[in-house]
Structures are given as C-alpha cells and as structure tokens.
Amino acid sequence: MNSTPPRSVPFWCSIRVAVAFVGFLGMVAHYSQKISVGIALVCMVNHTAISQHKTPIDMPITQEDIDCPYAKNTMKIEGPYSWTKNIQGIILGGYFWGYLITEIPGGYMAVRYGARFIFGIGMIISGIFTLLIPWGASLHYGVLWVFRLIVGLSHGVIWPSMTVIMAHWAPPNERGKLVGFMNAGAQIGNVLTLSIGGLMCSLNFLGGWPLIFYSTGIIGLIWGIFWILFYADSPRDQRCISNEEKEYIIESTQKQLAGHSKNEFEAPWKAILTSPACWALFTIHTCNNWGTYTFLTSIPKYMAEVLRFDIKSNGLLSSLPYIMFWININLSGAIADMIIRKEILTRTQTRKLFNVLGNILPAIFVIALAFMTCKLKYTAVVLLTFGVTFTGCCYGGGFMLTANDIAPAYAGIVFGISNTFATIPGIVSPYIVGALTEKDSNNWRIVFFICAAIYIIGMIVFLFIGSGDVQPWATRQKTEATTSEQVPLSGKILFFQYY
C-alpha cells in the first residue's frame, strides 16, 4: 500500500507539520537546558583561584602558553567558585545520572498513556529546577548536582516521548522529514545557548552567568504549559485537523501500531531484549552518543583551554558546528525519504548508508582534530564543524529513526532502552575528559582518539546486524487481532507486502 498523501491533504499547511514544529520548539527548550551548565561553567569557575592552589609541578607551562599566550587586553571572566576539573566533570555528569533512570519508564508511560502530559510535565519540572540552579550553586556544588539530577530525571522521558509522537503523527514516507525537523530543534537549542550564553557571561546584569539558567528555565516552563494545551495524543483527538488529513495519518500509521487498546497494552520485553536489530540500534546509538556528548559538554572547555578563544568568541564558535548539524539533519531526512520513496535503496540499506556517513566521517575529522594546536585554531574549528555536521546524517536518515522503523507500536520503549545505554557516555565522557586534561592539555589528543575508535565500532556493528524493517515480534499482536476478526487472506498478504 502506498502511503503518499492524496492531493487534498497538504503537507506544509498541516497539523502534522504543526505538531512537528511545536515539538521542534520543545527540543530547543530541552537542549538549551541540557547544555546550559557546559557553557556556564566556563564563567562560573574562578580559574585564577584554582591555579593558586596548584604547585608549579601540578601546573607546568604548556606549549599553548608559549605559542599562544593570552593577550593582556583579553577579558578573562572569573567566576565565584573554585571547582577543579574533576568537580566540574562530576557536575556535568549529574544530569546524565537522572537522564539514565527515566528513559525506560518514560518510554513505557508514553506508549501506554500518551506523550501529552509526559513530555509537558517533564519540561515544566525541569524549567523550575533550572531556575533554581544559581541559588543551588551558591550553597554547594552538591546542591547544584542534585538540581541537575532532577533536571535529568525530567528530561529522560523526552526522547522516548518523541518517538511515540512520531509513531502516531508521521506517515512512514514522511518520517525522515518530520522526525528530522523535530529532532533538529536540539541543535538550535545548542546554537542559541552556546552563542547567547557566551554573551550573557560577559554581562554585569544579575551576575551574567545566572541569566543562562533564568532564560532557559523560563522558556521550558512556558513551552511545557503550551504543549499540554496544544497537543493531542492521536489525530482522532485533535480539534483543528481536517477529516482528510486525519484519515490519511490514521490509515498510514495505525496499521503499524499494535491492535489493542492502551488498557490491554503489554510490552514484548523478551523479544526486544533478544532482537539483533534492537541491539544494533543500542550499540550504534551508544557509540555515536559518546562523540556527541564529548563535543556537547566539552567544546567550550576545548575552545578556551586549547584553542585560547575568549568567552565571547568561544560561545559563538562553539555554536557554529550545531548550525551546520541542524542543516544536515533536515537535508538528510529529506534525502533519505526520497531514496526510500523512489526505491533507490531499501529502508534498511538507507539507514545503513546514513549511519556510515554519520560515523566514519566524524571519526576522520576527529582524528585530524587531534593534531591541531592553538596556532591552527581556525583550522581546528573547521574540522570540528565538519565532524559534528556529518553526525547529522544519523539523526536525519540513520539510527534515530530505527526505533520507529523496526517497532512502531513499541517505539517509545525501544528508544527508551536505547537512550538508556546511550546516556552512559554522558556520565563517563565528561569525567574522562576532566581526568585526562586536568594536568596536561596535550591529552585532548587521547580524548579525540577514543572518540574516533568508538564511532567506528558502532558503525561496524550496525552494518552487520542492523535493520530498518518492522520486526516480526512488533507486528505479532496486529496479525493476531486481524486473524481473530477473520480478515481475508489477501488482506493479510497485502499487509505484509506493505513492509
């Protein structure tokens, strides 16, 4: 069956695009809160005070100090807190401990009860505790860690909710465009926070850096309330949708969803945990996220410590890779949809192609980045930008769509499990970066080599056992339901031919 919309069902002026757009704004709010600490730490920490506590043995003159000394007229912002790099790594990791815990429960609840309140309430809670972070930091870094833990707990439900939203609202032949556009909000959140956050740090108003948390907290709070008022868990319940669009979406998506009510919902846990296709997704998602989280949490530090950019330039240049990342996600989604629609490649082959592009190319650029110094800092920015940009292939046409491909009815649960594994790098990576670079900035080279190796491992695993086809266990309840209703055999054959 062809899921191309009839001419009477527009794409751009449609409710499904409106849902994707509001979801896009939600991802902007989500990621602006997620990375706020990464840029804020650069100006929260009193680097001079930390240096005074070190002996000359602990803090030798580096090659960067000789080749690229800080200019005397460079404004170097010193914050109120004497937190070592290890403490900073612990603070950055606090978010991900919370994020790790709620992924699977969040996916289960979103599948069973819908994503409207799960997503909305999560953003409201995270907005409140983001607003409280400046106060928590003034008490003790442990309080800041707890607040970030709570923000992580609230955010852990978001990505699984996104897959559930798209399972109900994105027809398969439009999935790349809609999912890619919605996911791209994450990169705009990165861009805005990294660029504007650097400028906020340099302001005297309200202490400068607290503005990062006040602004991102308020945005999340407002968005969460709007989402609850706007979103409907099914096209059937959306008040503003046309009958033509409603019928088109339901016809093209509901056949992929399990044939039971939410009250009868049972997740096939054993099938999911023994599925090679799922484990291919879990592996590449985890490996790709190692690079993503290393960049996300550590780019501002790398820009400041190795490339010697001041805080204003740091913020703007740190955001540049994510502008290109956003563009590539949208392009990849559209190109992947076209390749599948024109049957140039199968869905599985398309996912593998985009996963290769989204892992091997970043690995190459990361290896090149390992040999950059402050003398070549603009070349390093170019390499960094290309490396992050090509990761967008995975988000627009690769593994980010795999949960919806292989198990549409259980996409929230599958993605929740996947993102649980994929959150581990967010905990481990900042601590490893801090530990490696604490005494020797030359160890950034080791950080980049580790990234490249992990990228390649994930790519190889998905190439061998990855899939983009609906798995038999994900359609079992649907076929059982149609059998009990005595659907003609020809109808069953057509159902399977569709996939």
Side-chain angles (χ1 to χ4, degrees):
M1 181 182 290
N2 188 359
S3 63
T4 302
R7 291 184 180 179
S8 59
V9 182
F11 177 75
W12 292 109
C13 298
S14 65
I15 294 297
R16 63 191 185 279
V17 169
V19 168
F21 177 70
V22 178
F24 164 88
L25 295 178
M27 295 304 286
V28 172
H30 165 31
Y31 265 71
S32 65
Q33 293 177 1
K34 186 173 186 174
I35 70 163
S36 56
V37 168
I39 186 69
L41 274 176
V42 176
C43 33
M44 290 172 72
V45 172
N46 191 315
H47 304 277
T48 302
I50 295 172
S51 301
Q52 289 174 351
H53 285 93
K54 293 183 178 181
T55 66
I57 296 176
D58 292 328
M59 202 181 100
I61 296 175
T62 65
Q63 192 62 41
E64 285 81 7
D65 294 325
I66 298 171
D67 295 337
C68 313
Y70 288 109
K72 291 182 180 180
N73 61 347
T74 298
M75 181 179 64
K76 191 174 181 182
I77 297 173
E78 297 289 2
Y81 306 115
S82 301
W83 295 334
T84 65
K85 286 188 179 180
N86 281 335
I87 290 176
Q88 292 174 50
I90 291 169
I91 291 170
L92 289 169
Y95 171 93
F96 296 100
W97 281 109
Y99 200 64
L100 185 77
I101 293 169
T102 51
E103 289 284 345
I104 297 174
Y108 180 84
M109 289 188 295
V111 170
R112 180 156 190 175
Y113 303 111
R116 180 186 176 195
F117 288 103
I118 302 298
F119 196 172
I121 292 173
M123 284 303 300
I124 290 171
I125 294 172
S126 67
I128 292 170
F129 279 92
T130 298
L131 285 168
L132 293 174
I133 282 177
W135 173 70
S138 68
L139 300 177
H140 190 268
Y141 75 84
V143 179
L144 169 56
W145 186 91
V146 171
F147 285 177
R148 285 293 288 175
L149 177 76
I150 295 172
V151 173
L153 286 167
S154 303
H155 283 181
V157 305
I158 292 177
W159 276 107
S161 293
M162 297 286 281
T163 61
V164 173
I165 292 163
M166 288 293 100
H168 287 275
W169 282 93
N173 281 358
E174 297 173 359
R175 188 174 291 156
K177 292 193 290 289
L178 291 172
V179 175
F181 176 71
M182 197 183 231
N183 291 348
Q187 313 319 320
I188 296 301
N190 292 338
V191 169
L192 292 176
T193 307
L194 289 169
S195 56
I196 298 175
L199 297 174
M200 286 180 176
C201 275
S202 62
L203 297 177
N204 293 324
F205 182 64
L206 293 177
W209 62 264
L211 291 172
I212 298 172
F213 301 109
Y214 296 148
S215 58
T216 57
I218 290 171
I219 290 169
L221 203 57
I222 293 171
W223 183 90
I225 295 170
F226 179 78
W227 175 258
I228 292 173
L229 296 174
F230 164 79
Y231 180 72
D233 285 317
S234 170
R236 291 188 181 94
D237 304 321
Q238 172 57 246
R239 294 186 297 270
C240 303
I241 194 170
S242 68
N243 288 330
E244 291 80 10
E245 184 182 7
K246 181 190 299 184
E247 290 173 4
Y248 164 60
I249 296 173
I250 291 173
E251 180 186 353
S252 56
T253 60
Q254 297 305 306
K255 66 170 64 70
Q256 292 192 340
L257 302 176
H260 48 63
S261 69
K262 289 178 181 178
N263 292 331
E264 299 169 336
F265 177 79
E266 291 183 9
W269 297 105
K270 182 178 179 181
I272 291 172
L273 295 175
T274 56
S275 168
C278 286
W279 279 104
L281 169 61
F282 303 160
T283 303
I284 193 168
H285 193 175
T286 303
C287 291
N288 190 269
N289 262 22
W290 182 281
T292 299
Y293 282 138
T294 298
F295 289 139
L296 199 61
T297 58
S298 302
I299 280 180
K301 290 172 62 178
Y302 176 71
M303 292 279 190
E305 296 173 6
V306 177
L307 302 185
R308 299 300 176 95
F309 287 110
D310 61 59
I311 186 62
K312 289 184 178 180
S313 300
N314 187 335
L316 292 170
L317 291 172
S318 294
S319 69
L320 179 62
Y322 294 101
I323 296 173
M324 302 306 297
F325 195 173
W326 171 73
I327 293 171
N328 190 31
I329 289 174
N330 288 286
L331 286 176
S332 296
I335 293 170
D337 279 353
M338 181 195 69
I339 290 172
I340 294 169
R341 186 174 61 252
K342 293 188 175 182
E343 299 182 348
I344 298 171
L345 295 173
T346 66
R347 196 177 301 274
T348 295
Q349 290 168 341
T350 303
R351 298 293 176 247
K352 289 184 176 182
L353 170 63
F354 280 83
N355 283 331
V356 168
L357 294 174
N359 284 274
I360 192 66
L361 293 176
I364 291 170
F365 287 113
V366 164
I367 290 171
L369 192 62
F371 296 96
M372 294 297 104
T373 66
C374 58
K375 287 183 174 181
L376 299 169
K377 59 184 180 180
Y378 290 105
T379 304
V381 171
V382 171
L383 292 172
L384 185 62
T385 300
F386 276 116
V388 174
T389 297
F390 282 106
T391 306
C393 294
C394 293
Y395 284 66
F399 71 81
M400 275 296 188
L401 292 86
T402 300
N404 286 93
D405 290 334
I406 65 177
Y410 311 105
I413 294 171
V414 172
F415 195 89
I417 297 171
S418 183
N419 216 23
T420 299
F421 287 113
T423 299
I424 295 172
I427 299 171
V428 178
S429 174
Y431 184 80
I432 288 180
V433 171
L436 284 173
T437 62
E438 174 78 35
K439 295 182 179 180
D440 188 356
S441 61
N442 290 324
N443 285 341
W444 278 99
R445 182 171 295 181
I446 299 174
V447 170
F448 294 136
F449 285 152
I450 291 172
C451 271
I454 294 175
Y455 270 133
I456 293 170
I457 290 169
M459 179 195 71
I460 291 172
V461 170
F462 196 90
L463 272 177
F464 278 98
I465 62 174
S467 177
D469 299 324
V470 178
Q471 300 301 291
W473 50 266
T475 60
R476 187 174 301 142
Q477 292 194 4
K478 178 70 180 177
T479 56
E480 287 173 359
T482 54
T483 301
S484 64
E485 294 167 10
Q486 297 184 347
V487 175
L489 180 61
S490 59
K492 295 179 188 177
I493 293 172
L494 182 60
F495 173 78
F496 286 107
Q497 283 179 339
Y498 174 81
Y499 300 110

